[in-house]
Amino acid sequence: MKIKVAITSQNKRTVTKHAGECRNFLIYTIEDEKVISKEVMSLGDNQTLKYTFHEDTSDIPFNPIYDMDILLTGSIGRGGVNKLAMNNVAAYVIQEKDPDIAVEKLLNGTLEAFEPVSHHHHHDHDHHKHHQHEHSHSGGGCGGNCGHHH
């Protein structure tokens, strides 16, 4: 069974972020747990995931990434992950920068995937910082309970 893996690579060399805006993808075709081909797929302005998700007005928007089985990227929003999943594409956020190593890790089960980014990231981040600040003044950041077992 062949598996197609797309990796966001705007510079055509490393794993890059912003899956929705990316126009260059490295496409790996895998068969029997071996890479049998690797190619670059370049998309036009009206073929980006962002365009397909937000601007395409056709009844059934199609994107070339929908032909893939897996998308590996440096960043993508939860909505993008969900829309890809509805089109049978599993999207994973990874921190590995070398696409060849990412695919190798994917094949041997050691690729670490992360949560998609939130569209409210800045708000959540600011709140989180404020939350940490509050804790840093209450008993050394541990809620005042460190080592005080009665």
Side-chain angles (χ1 to χ4, degrees), residues 17 23 31 43 66 88 100 103 105 112 129 145:
K17 295 186 175 186
R23 290 181 51 184
E31 191 169 26
L43 305 179
Y66 294 173
N88 301 308
D100 292 339
V103 169
K105 287 180 174 181
E112 196 173 356
K129 278 200 301 198
N145 296 322

Side-chain angles (χ1 to χ4, degrees), residues 33-135:
E33 298 189 23
K34 291 184 183 68
V35 175
I36 59 171
S37 73
K38 174 184 171 184
E39 57 197 353
V40 173
M41 178 174 73
S42 296
L43 305 179
D45 286 340
N46 64 347
Q47 292 180 307
T48 64
L49 288 171
K50 184 177 181 181
Y51 179 87
T52 303
F53 295 162
H54 300 291
E55 299 171 47
D56 192 329
T57 57
S58 57
D59 290 341
I60 304 173
F62 176 77
N63 189 284
I65 297 299
Y66 294 173
D67 286 335
M68 304 298 138
D69 298 293
I70 296 170
L71 172 67
L72 302 179
T73 181
S75 69
I76 187 171
R78 177 152 316 274
V81 171
N82 293 342
K83 285 177 179 150
L84 287 167
M86 288 190 292
N87 288 280
N88 301 308
V89 181
Y92 300 102
V93 175
I94 62 171
Q95 289 184 340
E96 175 58 57
K97 295 290 183 234
D98 185 315
D100 292 339
I101 292 174
V103 169
E104 186 180 309
K105 287 180 174 181
L106 178 69
L107 291 174
N108 67 28
T110 61
L111 184 64
E112 196 173 356
F114 298 84
E115 281 294 303
V117 295
S118 165
H119 281 299
H120 305 293
H121 178 72
H122 296 295
H123 172 75
D124 292 342
H125 185 71
D126 291 340
H127 174 73
H128 183 68
K129 278 200 301 198
H130 177 69
H131 190 67
Q132 290 291 16
H133 178 77
E134 293 290 320
H135 278 278

Side-chain angles (χ1 to χ4, degrees), residues 9-14 16 24-26 38 40 42 99:
S9 186
Q10 191 61 28
N11 60 18
K12 302 178 187 174
R13 292 186 313 279
T14 61
T16 55
N24 294 314
F25 294 81
L26 299 174
K38 174 184 171 184
V40 173
S42 296

